[in-house]
Amino acid sequence: MSDTHHHPHDGHGAAAARPRKQEQEDASTEITEVAPGILRSQLPISMPGLGHVNCYLLEDERGLAVVDPGLPGEESWTALVDRLDRAGYRVGDVHTVVVTHSHPDHFGGATRMRYETGADIVTHESFRTLWDVAELEDEEDSSMLEVNSDDDRAAALERYFSRPNPWGGARSGPSPEFLERMRKAGESAGGVFAVQPTAPLTDGQTVKLARREWLAIHTPGHTYDHLCLYDPEHGVVLTGDHVLPSITPHISGMSPQHDPLAEFFASLGRMEALENVSIALPAHGHPFEDLAGRARHIVEHHEDRLDIVRDAWEDLPNGTVRDFMRVLFRERSWGDMAESETYAHLEHLREIGELQRSDADGLARYAPVD
Ligand SMILES: [Zn+2]
Ligand SMILES: [Zn+2]
């Protein structure tokens, strides 16, 4: 499922001009013990801004639990079998698969693992078992979307006033190549888009893995169904994509939540409040220690975005989502993902009473509340 069109090294988009982030590093074959009984392995992915997904191996007397077993398809599965081997295990040792959230680089290997070994599939109870393929192309990294300079914002406002007609609100959707690739991956892996959790967790429930007692923490925001696991005794947190070390997770406006950004803020607050944290284990990038500081930083990033919207709205009377997107983001970032994240910010400002929304001809428009 490598996406050459969006590959970070092909010079397309912003990544090429930026220093390489740890989340972009190619998947190493190395296995490292990051806490007693917890091994970090890395599986290859090729998504914008990402070079690997961490698949943590949790050891206990029964064998292994694997957390986030990579993308659907043969390439990732082969890498997973290789990593298990390097760690001294076989596929048959895996008794549990934990999936932190419903993105393909995390759930991809789950159904096949269950098919091969009968492993339990642990997710949050809200985990979606069916996907709208239009959402699967969303990227993980919000900071891939480059924020406009002051001049760019002025130019966007000029375009707003000079355009003949308002834009329609339809998503342009995934490329035909992407849809074809997903269709093929679905065929070869026997319905990868029908992951059926066998052990769904509710918030506050505990699960025993790696000889530790983990507390399930529902952390909606990046996706609605995001799950973090926290071992309070040793201060270990599996953070999935909720808190990543150097990129800010994408917030999708396409969500069953009224205000996904508010949910994300609350979920980040819960990370900040965790006591005794010694190590955070993210799904991309290196393990890190300052979980509270990183969570706070991500909140500030979105507060800055909200301020850009506030600065723009006097000049965008009844602006559409797309109008605000064009003010917020550089042209090369425009598209469904930027629009979706802009929508999340606008809806947040509406929910907290700063903006009002009107809908005519199927197009949402936003204006400040007077
Ligand atoms: Zn994700
Ligand atoms: Zn991810």
Side-chain angles (χ1 to χ4, degrees):
M1 213 188 91
S2 84
D3 188 342
T4 48
H5 179 68
H6 284 120
H7 196 278
H9 306 300
D10 69 1
H12 169 88
R18 296 184 184 188
R20 191 171 164 90
K21 301 202 169 204
Q22 47 180 280
E23 291 88 345
Q24 283 173 256
E25 291 169 6
D26 291 333
S28 162
T29 56
E30 210 178 308
I31 307 291
T32 48
E33 186 166 43
V34 290
I38 303 179
L39 311 176
R40 178 190 179 206
S41 78
Q42 301 169 51
L43 302 176
I45 58 176
S46 184
M47 296 168 79
L50 299 171
H52 67 276
V53 60
N54 293 324
C55 176
Y56 294 101
L57 314 179
L58 313 183
E59 304 174 292
D60 64 17
E61 60 288 344
R62 294 168 54 215
L64 278 186
V66 298
V67 183
D68 290 340
L71 287 167
E74 206 54 41
E75 186 193 347
S76 178
W77 181 261
T78 303
L80 176 57
V81 172
D82 170 74
R83 303 309 188 262
L84 292 174
D85 183 56
R86 286 170 192 271
Y89 293 94
R90 292 170 307 120
V91 169
D93 295 320
V94 176
H95 56 69
T96 305
V97 178
V98 177
V99 180
T100 57
H101 65 292
S102 55
H103 278 162
D105 49 328
H106 301 260
F107 69 71
T111 294
R112 172 131 184 213
M113 187 60 82
R114 175 157 178 81
Y115 177 78
E116 303 260 348
T117 74
D120 268 325
I121 299 178
V122 174
T123 63
H124 183 257
E125 61 176 343
S126 65
F127 185 84
R128 287 189 303 166
T129 55
L130 291 170
W131 288 271
D132 173 0
V133 86
E135 289 169 60
L136 289 172
E137 210 174 22
D138 274 0
E139 299 167 13
E140 308 272 34
D141 180 4
S142 163
S143 57
M144 290 289 292
L145 302 171
E146 277 199 278
V147 176
N148 268 336
S149 68
D150 290 350
D151 284 351
D152 293 333
R153 278 176 224 157
L157 292 172
E158 210 176 294
R159 274 195 300 275
Y160 173 77
F161 284 109
S162 63
R163 68 184 180 166
N165 289 307
W167 284 55
R171 283 166 69 90
S172 49
S175 63
E177 298 79 29
F178 177 83
L179 289 171
E180 176 61 14
R181 221 172 36 244
M182 296 313 278
R183 196 184 60 73
K184 279 199 186 132
E187 275 171 7
S188 66
V192 285
F193 299 113
V195 175
Q196 192 59 57
T198 63
L201 296 175
T202 58
D203 185 72
Q205 207 174 335
T206 58
V207 58
K208 197 161 184 218
L209 300 166
R211 300 187 172 90
R212 298 154 184 268
E213 197 79 28
W214 301 87
L215 191 64
I217 306 180
H218 182 214
T219 44
H222 174 59
T223 61
Y224 178 69
D225 56 13
H226 199 287
L227 172 73
C228 293
L229 292 179
Y230 168 50
D231 162 15
E233 192 185 341
H234 305 97
V236 181
V237 190
L238 290 160
T239 63
D241 280 357
H242 179 46
V243 185
L244 295 171
S246 78
I247 65 178
T248 47
H250 170 57
I251 298 304
S252 174
M254 314 291 286
S255 161
Q257 304 154 275
H258 286 302
D259 188 349
L261 189 55
E263 301 255 14
F264 191 44
F265 286 157
S267 299
L268 288 166
R270 292 187 71 186
M271 293 292 108
E272 235 188 293
L274 293 181
E275 286 172 11
N276 182 38
V277 172
S278 58
I279 190 163
L281 304 176
H284 309 280
H286 307 173
F288 59 98
E289 286 169 18
D290 186 11
L291 178 59
R294 186 63 199 146
R296 240 185 337 267
H297 183 87
I298 295 170
V299 170
E300 284 161 12
H301 164 88
H302 287 286
E303 297 283 4
D304 290 346
R305 291 282 164 88
L306 291 171
D307 282 341
I308 293 177
V309 174
R310 290 183 178 108
D311 288 343
W313 69 39
E314 293 302 334
D315 298 315
L316 283 178
N318 286 308
T320 64
V321 174
R322 203 165 284 188
D323 296 326
F324 280 100
M325 172 196 75
R326 291 172 158 223
V327 174
L328 266 173
F329 296 108
R330 285 185 189 275
E331 184 162 0
R332 62 183 164 201
S333 296
W334 293 353
D336 292 340
M337 185 179 155
E339 208 167 319
S340 172
E341 188 154 319
T342 302
Y343 180 68
H345 285 79
L346 291 167
E347 281 296 299
H348 179 66
L349 290 165
R350 186 179 67 77
E351 287 282 339
I352 63 176
E354 295 186 37
L355 283 176
Q356 52 191 326
R357 171 177 172 169
S358 59
D359 286 272
D361 307 323
L363 209 56
R365 296 175 172 283
Y366 294 85
V369 171
D370 15 64

